[in-house]
Amino acid sequence: MSLAERQDMMTDNAVWDGGMGSVGDYIALLKPRVMSLVIFTAFVGMMLAPGTLHPVIAGVALLCIAVGAGASGALNMWYDADIDSVMTRTSKRPIPDGKVTPEEALAFGMTLSIGSVLILGLLVNWFAGAFLAFTIFFYAVIYTMWLKRSTPQNIVIGGAAGAFPPMIGWASVTGTVSLESFVLFLIIFMWTPPHFWALALFKKGDYETAGVPMLPVVSGETSTRHQILVYSILLAPIGISPYLLGYASPFYGIASAGLGAAFVWLSFDVWRLREGDAARRATLRLFKYSIYFLFLLFALLFVESIAGRILG
Amino acid sequence: MTQENDGVKLTAEQTKRRRSRSIAIAFALGALVVLFYVVTIVKMGPEIMNRAL
């Protein structure tokens, strides 16, 4: 459209419904809580990686990974605004709330995506930059645009996007990836399904309304409970594997075994209790515990890596 | 080109929010300038000072 045509279409009193977003609304587009987990796991990946990185460069890497994660959150909110508006958990997000227009969120997300990838590539290394670009693409395109609306396995495959940050952190230091970093990926990857399916069990109505094919909606609650238990049983030994592979202490081995056993126990409760308030409580308990579980495993690895560096 | 040329009239609230966003963008750009400066110094390393005068 030419400028003259555009001028013709607008009267002096044309009202623009955009531009209502505050700085806080734009920060909310970055999904700060998800971002904090990404920063934490990426930092642990950097600490565990062999070799050293200048603290300033390490800070830049972490900043870029965080901004990249936030950017993919903004792109997710841009594409999923229709779903977000009908779900109670997400209806107050900036786009459904009318604070930010979808176009503004798209521009914001794309700008931060390109900026974070370029800065990570230029200032840290291009392998890490390319890995961050792939992660953003995976979350925004593969998960958000494709898997989320088409298969109940959406969060199983899409969970990879949330599991990549420790590998990107590792790649920032080493310029490559390795089995050790892949194990960090695997812990988050296997943790994601039971965590989100627990949430989906007590938010099933929301997903139904929004038409999102989450496992409890498509396959039913019983099948979801079976799968939560199976993934939990698989997750427990993977949680111990940093010790088995020799880059965590026996203390980590024992602690992670205990944490994994508790995870399986709570999943067993979800599997066993299927009716009424008891079932709801068990599901909520597993959901809350799963957050502590992941945090504690990575916190243990973090503390051990610090101790290892101090003690030489 | 100004907003007036587009025929779009911003409300007082829109103007206020645009101003707060502009300030945040200014801070972010300033932080990037500092970041690139510091990283340049770090990348050059202490050897930059070690040269014949």
Side-chain angles (χ1 to χ4, degrees), chain A residues 7 10-11 16 18 20-21, chain B residues 5-7 14 17 21 43:
Chain A
Q7 288 260 325
M10 291 183 161
T11 68
W16 178 47
M20 286 303 289
Chain B
N5 287 343
D6 267 340
Q14 281 173 320
R17 295 201 172 191
R21 290 197 305 272
K43 292 254 181 191

Side-chain angles (χ1 to χ4, degrees), chain A residues 136-154:
Chain A
I136 296 170
F137 171 80
F138 197 92
Y139 186 71
V141 178
I142 306 288
Y143 170 69
T144 303
M145 295 184 188
W146 178 31
L147 297 171
K148 184 170 178 179
R149 294 166 193 250
S150 62
T151 167
Q153 294 300 310
N154 47 15

Side-chain angles (χ1 to χ4, degrees), chain A residues 3 6-7 10-14 16-23 25-26 54 56-57 60 99 119 123, chain B residues 1 3-11 13-15 17-18 20-21 24 32 35-36 38-39 42-43:
Chain A
L3 193 60
R6 196 172 165 205
Q7 288 260 325
M10 291 183 161
T11 68
D12 279 351
N13 294 319
W16 178 47
D17 61 354
M20 286 303 289
S22 65
V23 174
D25 292 323
Y26 279 87
H54 190 285
V56 171
I57 305 296
V60 171
K99 299 279 176 49
I119 293 177
L123 303 187
Chain B
M1 187 175 67
Q3 291 288 344
E4 284 73 21
N5 287 343
D6 267 340
V8 174
K9 293 258 192 288
L10 295 183
T11 63
E13 188 60 26
Q14 281 173 320
T15 309
R17 295 201 172 191
R18 181 174 66 177
S20 68
R21 290 197 305 272
L32 272 179
L35 183 75
F36 273 88
V38 171
V39 171
V42 166
K43 292 254 181 191

Side-chain angles (χ1 to χ4, degrees), chain A residues 164-179:
Chain A
F164 283 138
M167 288 185 88
I168 306 174
W170 184 287
S172 299
V173 178
T174 63
T176 185
V177 289
S178 65
L179 179 64

Side-chain angles (χ1 to χ4, degrees), chain A residues 36-273:
Chain A
S36 62
L37 190 65
V38 166
I39 293 171
F40 179 56
T41 57
F43 189 44
V44 173
M46 287 169 77
M47 292 298 292
L48 288 175
T52 53
L53 206 56
H54 190 285
V56 171
I57 305 296
V60 171
L62 219 48
L63 180 72
C64 290
I65 296 168
V67 172
S72 50
L75 294 173
N76 169 272
M77 286 199 208
W78 157 69
Y79 195 79
D80 276 351
D82 56 335
I83 292 176
D84 288 347
S85 64
V86 292
M87 289 179 60
T88 53
R89 189 171 66 87
T90 53
S91 61
K92 287 289 165 200
R93 284 178 173 175
I95 300 175
D97 210 21
K99 299 279 176 49
V100 177
T101 65
E103 293 77 15
E104 288 168 336
L106 174 63
F108 184 59
M110 286 305 293
T111 305
L112 293 186
S113 296
I114 294 167
S116 59
V117 167
L118 285 180
I119 293 177
L120 187 62
L122 283 167
L123 303 187
V124 183
N125 69 64
W126 280 107
F127 181 80
F131 204 160
L132 180 64
F134 175 72
T135 304
I136 296 170
F137 171 80
F138 197 92
Y139 186 71
V141 178
I142 306 288
Y143 170 69
T144 303
M145 295 184 188
W146 178 31
L147 297 171
K148 184 170 178 179
R149 294 166 193 250
S150 62
T151 167
Q153 294 300 310
N154 47 15
I155 51 118
V156 177
I157 309 164
F164 283 138
M167 288 185 88
I168 306 174
W170 184 287
S172 299
V173 178
T174 63
T176 185
V177 289
S178 65
L179 179 64
E180 293 95 326
S181 67
F182 182 70
V183 166
L184 299 178
F185 162 87
L186 214 53
I187 291 172
I188 306 176
F189 185 73
M190 295 305 285
W191 165 89
T192 306
H195 170 75
F196 277 104
W197 284 334
L199 175 74
L201 274 176
F202 62 82
K203 289 285 179 187
K204 187 183 162 196
D206 254 11
Y207 287 110
E208 252 167 355
T209 313
V212 180
M214 289 298 277
L215 195 64
V217 178
V218 176
S219 306
E221 293 193 8
T222 305
S223 169
T224 306
R225 289 171 204 279
H226 289 327
Q227 296 214 36
I228 285 177
L229 186 60
V230 169
Y231 273 92
S232 303
I233 291 167
L234 292 172
L235 172 65
I238 291 169
I240 309 168
S241 48
Y243 161 67
L244 299 175
L245 287 170
Y247 64 99
S249 73
F251 175 74
Y252 172 87
I254 294 166
S256 60
L259 289 167
F263 201 112
V264 173
W265 176 253
L266 291 176
S267 299
F268 180 71
D269 254 2
V270 170
W271 181 81
R272 187 171 59 91
L273 303 165

